[in-house]
Amino acid sequence: MSRLRSAVRLPGRQTTTRVLVAAVLAAAVVTQAVAALRPHVPLLLAATAASWAVEGVLHRWQRGMVSLFAKSHADITVRHVLRDLLLVLGLLRLTPEDEETAYTVLVAGLLAFYALHCAVQAVSVLVRRTRTLPVVTRNIDASALRLTPAPPALLRHPGPRLLVHGLPATAGLLVTAATGEPRCAAFGIAMSLGLALMGLADLLVRLLPSRRPAGEQEVLEWFDAWLAEYRPTVGLYFSGGVSSAYQANMWLEPLAKAGGKPLIVLRERFMMQKIAATDVPIVCLPKVSTLLRLEQSTLQVLIHPSNSGKTSQVLRIPTIKHTFVNHGESDKLSSCNPYAKAYDEVWVAGPAARERYAAAEVGVEDKDVVEIGRPQLDAVRPYAGPPTGPVTVLYAPTWEGWDGNPGNTSVIAAGENIVRALLADPGVRLLYKPHPLTGSVDPRAGAADRRIRELIRAANRERAGQRPADDGELVRCTRELDRLTTTGFRAAADSVERMLLQSTPEPGRATALTRATEAWERAYWASLPAWEHQVVTDARPTLYACFNRADLLISDVSSVVSDFLASGKPYAVANTSGLGEEAFRAAFPTAGAATVLTPDAVGVPGLLDAVRQPERDELRSARAELKRRLLGPDEPSAQERFDRAVQALAAAARRRGLPGQRREQETVSASGRLTLPG
């Protein structure tokens, strides 16, 4: 996805820069070759310096081109060897024939340096393999695995290492070319050899048995022992791409509050740092063979917020009950995916989702559908009456999707009209929060998004007002929140070093995080002028925090609409599908209590009037009814219903009692929560 987005959004200026860098590098190499053959000392020096400078630009700002050169068999090693050999050739052409033998030692030294460079790379690969553990953890004390800091980044990446280690040799050859003194080149080559030897020694020490982490079998035995001691009961299983972590993150808090011993199971190593701050133990099990060790654990329930190619691998474990909770509900076809029938149960928010599965006839039986509400929405504050100041409107369109349906997003056909209509009302404050994938498939959506942002910036320039005094509160709150949610890593840190630093969380961190988040949100909104429109694209504030500030939502057919209904506030849905209003409402029940906006956005003024004057709001009772259909009743709370569903499914797993599962006798406490003896 990220590569696709980069390809779609690649601006012409960046393409021009890449072409220019490649042209300069090619010209420098050709010029260096000509200067070496002629020979011409000033030209040789200038071409070599230019070539070296371009290498620095490549590794600092044009990483994509480094990979492109490597695929073209012109990687850094080839370029570096060619650069040095041309320098040596130039020196030989400048030196009288009877003195050429003096450079034999220099050539031998260069060859030795490159041999050492290859040796360092080979040992670096061995070190990396010893540090690639079959189990990666977070929020778990894994010190028994002899975890150590990672080698310096320079020793792990051959390109930058060759540039740094080879710099003295190249510089020495340049000075020799300028002065005719071979000792300068000899000194530079000796320095390069010394740097390479130091790097090799550092890596070899890390291969000593006492310095390397535990081996694969030892790690697996440790993992089995940890499972036996922790005795997990309910887990969250997740596998996905780099931009999909939000699907799991929305279920972290409900999982942490559930009864029993929670666990998060991941499949991709990179995902370990994508999961948001939580005290729940996290394990990453990349291999199927390691994943299947969960069969011998006390784990009874796995919750799945998304489907992936690796989901089928964990579904093989018969001792665990599996449930699909999805990462949001809407009227889109993805909310009744046929894959859902692979799970033991499907947990949905309310009756509407149950009806959706029945109507879709995708093989999900009604008896397997459990209504739990949306626990994440317990933090959404209910409607508290009309605004006393400016009407805060949240425009949160979704992205364009993969199927090319023009009704997926309003950004292309209606976004600018909606924003212009809102900005035309001086009593409106706009919060624009586009979907993070906007423009990743259709360039028109990305272009429309940029134009919308410019409209907002232009409107802010025309507004004037007093800005809140900066008392430093937001900075303090941000610092505290960052302390609780992030771990400072060196740039060279690998998964083993991160395991070492992300051990068992400090007691009370979850409570402190809740308080810090609330304090940050108060400080954030207080730091902004009430009259200023905002473009919200960062992870903070969250969508639900924007819900609590908004008096009105304008969105598309998406889970955003369903979630906003928890507030009971007015909302509008943009209809860019080409359907008439009645057909649109029939096709998308979540729009049943919404004001339906056409692409020209002519209904915006009337919508704003209904927000300011609740007596004109004819959809209030419809919203309350739709909320019950989509999200279920207010009592008991969604978190309570989620907990009950976990307990019921865990009980079903225990009743199954399949052989082969190492389970200790469990008891259920009087409160109904799962407890384990001892």
Side-chain angles (χ1 to χ4, degrees):
M1 172 65 72
S2 60
R3 290 192 296 269
L4 176 60
R5 187 184 308 124
S6 299
V8 171
R9 291 183 172 177
L10 183 64
R13 183 170 60 182
Q14 187 174 352
T15 303
T16 303
T17 301
R18 290 185 172 185
V19 172
L20 180 62
V21 169
V24 171
L25 181 60
V29 172
V30 171
T31 304
Q32 189 184 16
V34 172
L37 291 171
R38 289 201 48 93
H40 191 283
V41 174
L43 193 60
L44 182 64
L45 297 178
T48 304
S51 174
W52 194 271
V54 172
E55 293 287 359
V57 171
L58 284 174
H59 285 273
R60 179 64 179 84
W61 293 292
Q62 298 290 335
R63 299 287 180 87
M65 291 192 66
V66 173
S67 301
L68 184 62
F69 278 123
K71 292 177 181 178
S72 304
H73 304 289
D75 62 11
I76 178 63
T77 303
V78 172
R79 299 195 302 273
H80 202 284
V81 170
L82 178 61
R83 187 183 302 113
D84 284 351
L85 287 181
L86 287 175
L87 276 175
V88 172
L89 176 61
L91 288 174
L92 292 175
R93 298 280 293 173
L94 289 166
T95 304
E97 292 185 7
D98 57 345
E99 299 179 11
E100 288 181 353
T101 53
Y103 288 94
T104 303
V105 176
L106 298 182
V107 174
L110 273 179
L111 293 176
F113 166 71
Y114 285 113
L116 271 177
H117 169 71
C118 294
V120 171
Q121 181 58 23
V123 177
S124 175
V125 171
L126 291 177
V127 170
R128 184 175 70 246
R129 289 178 178 175
T130 65
R131 298 179 64 84
T132 304
L133 305 185
V135 179
V136 183
T137 67
R138 184 175 139 193
N139 298 335
I140 298 173
D141 181 5
S143 57
L145 300 180
R146 300 190 301 277
L147 307 179
T148 57
L154 198 65
L155 298 181
R156 293 158 53 193
H157 303 295
R161 182 176 69 245
L162 187 55
L163 284 176
V164 173
H165 287 180
L167 179 59
T170 304
L173 290 170
L174 281 173
V175 174
T176 297
T179 63
E181 178 53 66
R183 284 179 295 183
C184 296
F187 180 73
I189 292 172
M191 285 187 63
S192 290
L193 284 169
L195 290 173
L197 283 170
M198 290 172 59
L200 182 61
D202 182 288
L203 292 172
L204 286 172
V205 169
R206 295 173 186 275
L207 290 177
L208 296 174
S210 61
R211 293 291 303 274
R212 62 172 179 252
E216 180 173 354
Q217 187 57 39
E218 187 178 351
V219 172
L220 294 177
E221 291 173 357
W222 170 87
F223 179 57
D224 289 341
W226 180 84
L227 286 172
E229 179 182 1
Y230 180 66
R231 294 181 292 180
T233 56
V234 55
L236 178 76
Y237 178 90
F238 189 72
S239 171
V242 293
S243 60
S244 63
Y246 73 94
Q247 300 171 356
N249 286 336
M250 68 172 60
W251 287 99
L252 296 183
E253 188 171 353
L255 177 70
K257 292 179 179 178
K261 293 289 190 71
L263 176 67
I264 298 171
V265 180
L266 306 177
R267 303 302 307 282
E268 292 82 19
R269 297 175 189 273
F270 68 81
M271 191 62 71
M272 292 293 289
Q273 304 310 316
K274 299 290 184 180
I275 298 299
T278 179
D279 286 358
V280 176
I282 305 175
V283 296
C284 178
L285 311 175
K287 295 182 179 179
V288 178
S289 58
T290 310
L291 176 72
L292 294 181
R293 301 178 90 89
L294 294 176
E295 183 176 354
Q296 304 304 320
S297 75
T298 56
L299 193 62
Q300 298 160 9
V301 174
L302 273 180
I303 297 167
H304 299 257
S306 69
N307 300 309
S308 75
K310 296 179 181 178
T311 300
S312 62
Q313 297 171 352
V314 75
L315 292 179
R316 302 182 200 177
I317 302 179
T319 55
I320 299 175
K321 287 284 190 177
H322 302 269
T323 181
F324 181 61
V325 295
N326 213 335
H327 49 274
E329 291 187 15
S330 71
D331 294 322
K332 295 179 181 178
L333 293 177
S334 58
S335 290
C336 50
N337 193 316
Y339 196 95
K341 63 188 175 186
Y343 302 94
D344 295 290
E345 290 184 354
V346 176
W347 294 356
V348 300
R354 180 188 296 275
E355 296 165 7
R356 187 183 304 120
Y357 273 109
E361 297 182 347
V362 293
V364 176
E365 297 186 35
D366 186 72
K367 66 180 179 63
D368 296 328
V369 178
V370 179
E371 298 173 24
I372 64 166
R374 289 273 287 160
Q376 302 86 349
L377 303 181
D378 288 350
V380 176
R381 293 196 292 268
Y383 177 69
T388 56
V391 177
T392 300
V393 181
L394 172 62
Y395 178 39
T398 190
W399 67 303
E400 57 270 25
W402 293 109
D403 58 7
N405 189 327
N408 286 344
T409 179
S410 60
V411 170
I412 299 173
E416 292 170 83
N417 292 333
I418 291 173
V419 169
R420 285 194 184 95
L422 292 170
L423 298 179
D425 189 322
V428 165
R429 181 197 193 190
L430 173 61
L431 305 179
Y432 174 55
K433 188 172 178 61
H435 193 286
L437 296 182
T438 298
S440 60
V441 172
D442 191 335
R444 296 177 302 165
D449 171 58
R450 290 189 290 272
R451 290 194 297 270
I452 289 172
R453 298 186 191 208
E454 181 53 39
L455 286 173
I456 295 172
R457 285 191 291 266
N460 280 335
R461 288 193 293 268
E462 294 178 1
R463 288 192 169 192
Q466 187 175 0
R467 304 189 70 87
D470 186 2
D471 58 0
E473 181 65 16
L474 180 59
V475 173
R476 288 191 294 271
C477 291
T478 301
R479 189 181 299 118
E480 174 64 10
L481 193 53
D482 287 343
R483 184 187 71 82
L484 293 168
T485 58
T486 60
T487 303
F489 298 122
R490 299 182 305 133
D494 60 4
S495 59
V496 170
E497 183 172 340
R498 293 188 184 102
M499 286 173 62
L500 178 65
L501 296 175
Q502 292 180 311
S503 187
T504 307
E506 60 187 49
R509 187 180 69 170
T511 302
L513 177 59
T514 299
R515 289 197 301 264
T517 301
E518 293 172 351
W520 183 90
E521 289 179 358
R522 288 193 299 269
Y524 173 80
W525 295 114
S527 70
L528 302 174
W531 50 266
E532 188 176 59
H533 308 297
Q534 301 296 330
V535 177
V536 184
T537 56
D538 294 334
R540 304 173 191 152
T542 64
L543 177 64
Y544 297 157
C546 293
F547 281 2
N548 289 334
R549 301 297 298 189
D551 302 301
L552 166 69
L553 169 74
I554 300 178
S555 187
D556 305 323
V557 175
S558 69
S559 61
V560 173
V561 169
S562 303
D563 287 352
F564 189 76
L565 275 165
S567 70
K569 300 174 185 176
Y571 71 103
V573 177
N575 177 12
T576 56
S577 65
L579 299 173
E581 181 172 334
E582 290 187 9
F584 181 77
R585 291 183 187 276
F588 305 108
T590 52
T595 297
V596 177
L597 295 178
T598 53
D600 56 15
V602 295
V604 167
L607 176 62
L608 295 172
D609 286 342
V611 174
R612 294 186 175 107
Q613 304 176 58
E615 63 274 11
R616 296 189 178 183
D617 183 3
E618 300 176 353
L619 296 169
R620 180 185 300 181
S621 58
R623 286 197 302 275
E625 176 58 30
L626 185 58
K627 175 185 174 183
R628 284 190 291 271
R629 288 194 64 246
L630 291 178
L631 304 177
D634 293 333
E635 297 293 338
S637 70
Q639 182 66 49
E640 291 177 281
R641 283 179 276 160
F642 176 80
D643 291 352
R644 292 177 184 177
V646 169
Q647 297 299 319
L649 195 56
R654 296 194 300 273
R655 286 195 300 270
R656 178 182 285 178
L658 291 178
Q661 182 184 22
R662 189 192 66 230
R663 297 183 293 111
E664 300 189 23
Q665 183 64 37
E666 297 138 351
T667 61
V668 179
S669 67
S671 64
R673 288 184 174 272
L674 184 65
T675 58
L676 297 172

